[in-house]
Amino acid sequence: MAKMLGFKQFVLYEMAKNLSGGRDSERHIEKYIVPHVGNSESPLKISRDINDDGIIISKGSQVIPHESANYEGRPAVYRPSSTKIPHISATVVRPNGYRTHHFVPVTAIQTPTENDGKHNYEHAVRALWNFSTKNKNLVTGNDGKLDLEKLKSEVEKSKTDETHPLHHIHSSEDEFGGGVKNSEKAKKTRHLNLRAAAYTVHSLANHEDIEEHFHKGSEMTVSGSGTAPLSRTYHDERVENDKDRHNKAKKEFDAKEEERLGDSNLFRRQYTTRSTRKGDAVVVGGVHISLKQTKAQGSSGGASESSAIIKHSLNVMRTRKKYNGTPEEFQAAVTETHKRLDEMREHMSEGRHKEADKILQGILDNPTWASHKGINQLHVHMAHESLSGAGKFKRATSKEQEETGSRYTSEQGPATHMATVPLENGKLSTNPEDVSNVTRLTHGNVAKLIKAGKIGRPTITAGKIPGSPQSAMRIPVEGKKE
């Protein structure tokens, strides 16, 4: 199960494992629990804080299932009379290393996913940048500039030399999907990401806006480690979407619970918070850089985010007067677009991405938007917003800006630059020098990339979570993926 689930996914996930006869629970035990019986390096973890007779077992604790006394290789299963949820007898290892025995409900066990052990490439860029700034004698040429070949050489040395700062042994669990650091997938994907990062770091260190930070030795951090308040537009769209999702999920869940228990299980209404995190960005010297893999989707968002991107883009177009016709005609087009967005969002939430995409393409094809050198301005502003998040984060007040020197209420703000990472379908590009570059994210630069076919037209496709009924709007960096 993914670390973070939307409310609807959470409800459906719980239902799938709890309902009626336990067949789903049995399949769940067979697929995820059985392979880790007695495994001291079990990847199974507690997905939420649980209370076992007054003892709180914290989220993130490791679960090592015990073998049944009667069935070799099978987990010991306890089925309380008060619930139909199976409990697994297990050793639970808390984050502080304390070990105790508990019967853990199957629904509280976070199971491995296909992404577990996959290295996140922004950490490779961060690690390689920070290594380079601290070891300039190893990676720079006579001109003092970062040398690509020397940097690649250090990456290859680190593969087998445990004393090298870039060796896998010195990485953190936080860099890997599911916190799985010591698997073969983790080691393989991390080294691949370091090799790709060499080209990106070289481009960054030699870019006119960033090279001074390399020479100063400025530390690079990963932006995704923090959260920041959302702007009003994004917050309002998310709240509205969550109400729709919550009400539909609750109605379906209550019907099943009433059938099973004879009574409706009432959930408190849940809204998402006014905060977000940007997981693919790095920050150096105050410059926020969005990292995008080559020929991968440059941006994707669910129903609420997609609607917010379009509404924010229309507001920017109004301010900059980037449209055809009179202001009155533009406002009429905006009003009609807002109505269509409600329809699009409903289709996306229900997974009807083909219907949602027809609406999106109709919105994009409105001649009001195409106003500059034949380039669709709504496309330009949507792409800029998706890549930068310029309107996503809450602005600071004048007083806050004066006190902090920042235009935003958090250190995590919008990206001002985009750097491509030369990976294609999880592999290092055959021509990494050609695809690793840095772009300052201005509307003009984004328009040029669109005209050159480097940023594709927004489309609505199947959601990014496997098995999710939801759709997502995607804006690819290297043209539309067929």
Side-chain angles (χ1 to χ4, degrees):
M1 184 177 70
K3 280 190 172 181
M4 295 295 291
L5 295 178
F7 180 74
K8 186 174 182 180
Q9 286 82 20
F10 168 76
V11 170
L12 295 177
Y13 179 78
E14 295 293 313
M15 287 170 58
K17 292 187 294 184
N18 296 345
L19 291 179
S20 63
R23 287 184 302 168
D24 293 309
S25 294
E26 291 302 326
R27 284 195 293 267
H28 184 79
I29 292 171
E30 187 71 30
K31 184 175 181 179
Y32 296 113
I33 311 299
V34 169
H36 303 294
V37 170
N39 177 14
S40 61
E41 296 185 358
S42 167
L44 305 178
K45 295 183 179 180
I46 300 293
S47 61
R48 61 180 186 272
D49 289 350
I50 58 175
N51 188 328
D52 185 10
D53 289 333
I55 300 174
I56 302 299
I57 307 174
S58 60
K59 177 181 177 180
S61 298
Q62 182 190 20
V63 178
I64 305 174
H66 293 159
E67 186 176 55
S68 168
N70 300 319
Y71 302 99
E72 184 178 354
R74 306 291 302 177
V77 180
Y78 166 63
R79 301 177 187 276
S81 58
S82 59
T83 175
K84 294 183 180 181
I85 300 173
H87 287 53
I88 303 298
S89 175
T91 294
V92 174
V93 185
R94 290 175 172 77
N96 64 4
Y98 186 64
R99 304 166 71 92
T100 51
H101 167 261
H102 294 277
F103 283 97
V104 182
V106 171
T107 54
I109 298 178
Q110 179 175 304
T111 54
T113 72
E114 61 182 14
N115 284 326
D116 283 357
K118 183 178 179 181
H119 190 252
N120 297 317
Y121 58 83
E122 65 269 16
H123 289 283
V125 173
R126 173 194 55 79
L128 202 53
W129 172 279
N130 290 337
F131 168 80
S132 299
T133 58
K134 294 174 183 176
N135 298 275
K136 291 190 178 72
N137 60 312
L138 298 177
V139 295
T140 57
N142 294 331
D143 57 0
K145 291 182 175 292
L146 185 61
D147 184 283
L148 179 59
E149 294 306 315
K150 289 185 177 182
L151 192 58
K152 289 162 61 177
S153 176
E154 291 300 320
V155 169
E156 294 310 311
K157 289 178 187 176
S158 73
K159 187 173 184 179
T160 55
D161 183 0
E162 291 190 1
T163 65
H164 198 288
L166 293 173
H167 189 273
H168 182 83
I169 197 172
H170 303 299
S171 61
S172 165
E173 291 182 353
D174 293 340
E175 300 178 21
F176 304 90
V180 180
K181 171 184 173 180
N182 292 319
S183 67
E184 287 304 311
K185 178 192 283 188
K187 295 173 183 176
K188 181 179 179 180
T189 58
R190 182 175 181 273
H191 185 68
L192 174 66
N193 284 345
L194 284 172
R195 291 175 61 201
Y199 296 93
T200 302
V201 170
H202 177 257
S203 298
L204 288 169
N206 290 287
H207 188 271
E208 59 183 357
D209 294 340
I210 303 169
E211 61 180 344
E212 66 172 305
H213 300 299
F214 174 75
H215 296 303
K216 287 180 181 178
S218 300
E219 182 180 8
M220 180 178 283
T221 59
V222 175
S223 176
S225 60
T227 58
L230 290 172
S231 67
R232 174 57 62 180
T233 297
Y234 277 80
H235 169 63
D236 288 350
E237 291 301 305
R238 188 172 288 190
V239 167
E240 187 64 31
N241 191 65
D242 283 353
K243 280 197 292 188
D244 294 342
R245 288 199 304 159
H246 167 83
N247 290 335
K248 290 173 183 176
K250 180 179 181 300
K251 182 178 179 181
E252 184 176 350
F253 185 83
D254 284 350
K256 293 288 187 180
E257 287 296 278
E258 188 171 3
E259 179 182 342
R260 186 169 73 93
L261 303 174
D263 190 13
S264 179
N265 184 9
L266 298 178
F267 275 81
R268 284 167 37 190
R269 178 163 293 188
Q270 295 191 13
Y271 300 93
T272 54
T273 61
R274 292 187 63 189
S275 65
T276 190
R277 62 178 65 223
K278 191 168 179 60
D280 62 356
V282 293
V283 183
V284 60
V287 180
H288 289 240
I289 305 155
S290 183
L291 304 176
K292 300 299 179 185
Q293 290 189 37
T294 309
K295 295 186 179 178
Q297 297 294 347
S299 176
S300 62
S304 60
E305 179 129 342
S306 302
S307 182
I309 286 172
I310 295 173
K311 287 187 176 181
H312 171 76
S313 299
L314 293 173
N315 288 336
V316 175
M317 290 170 66
R318 177 189 288 109
T319 302
R320 293 170 172 256
K321 297 183 179 179
K322 292 285 188 180
Y323 52 80
N324 289 337
T326 66
E328 291 74 22
E329 290 171 330
F330 174 76
Q331 185 54 48
V334 170
T335 301
E336 177 60 27
T337 297
H338 282 198
K339 293 179 182 178
R340 300 307 310 278
L341 285 176
D342 289 338
E343 300 174 41
M344 188 184 84
R345 180 168 57 200
E346 183 174 354
H347 284 309
M348 291 180 72
S349 295
E350 295 297 323
R352 297 188 293 266
H353 54 268
K354 290 184 179 179
E355 290 85 347
D357 191 53
K358 288 180 182 178
I359 293 175
L360 174 61
Q361 300 311 316
I363 290 173
L364 284 166
D365 287 337
N366 190 321
T368 302
W369 319 138
S371 64
H372 186 64
K373 297 181 180 179
I375 302 176
N376 186 316
Q377 288 298 295
L378 182 56
H379 183 186
V380 171
H381 288 79
M382 285 175 62
H384 178 267
E385 174 60 20
S386 298
L387 295 169
S388 68
K392 188 173 185 176
F393 300 94
K394 186 178 180 181
R395 295 272 184 140
T397 63
S398 299
K399 184 178 180 180
E400 289 171 332
Q401 289 188 39
E402 187 176 333
E403 292 176 350
T404 64
S406 173
R407 295 166 62 189
Y408 298 89
T409 57
S410 168
E411 290 183 2
Q412 178 167 319
T416 57
H417 293 70
M418 176 182 73
T420 52
V421 178
L423 290 170
E424 298 177 14
N425 299 319
K427 297 180 180 179
L428 187 64
S429 170
T430 54
N431 296 301
E433 296 90 342
D434 297 334
V435 297
S436 181
N437 56 70
V438 182
T439 303
R440 187 179 180 86
L441 289 173
T442 65
H443 288 92
N445 287 346
V446 170
K448 291 177 182 176
L449 291 173
I450 289 173
K451 193 169 184 179
K454 296 293 185 180
I455 296 179
R457 187 176 171 105
T459 56
I460 306 295
T461 62
K464 56 186 176 182
I465 301 175
S468 168
Q470 295 190 27
S471 302
M473 181 176 74
R474 305 186 190 274
I475 303 178
V477 163
E478 288 281 333
K480 183 177 179 180
K481 292 176 72 176
E482 300 297 336

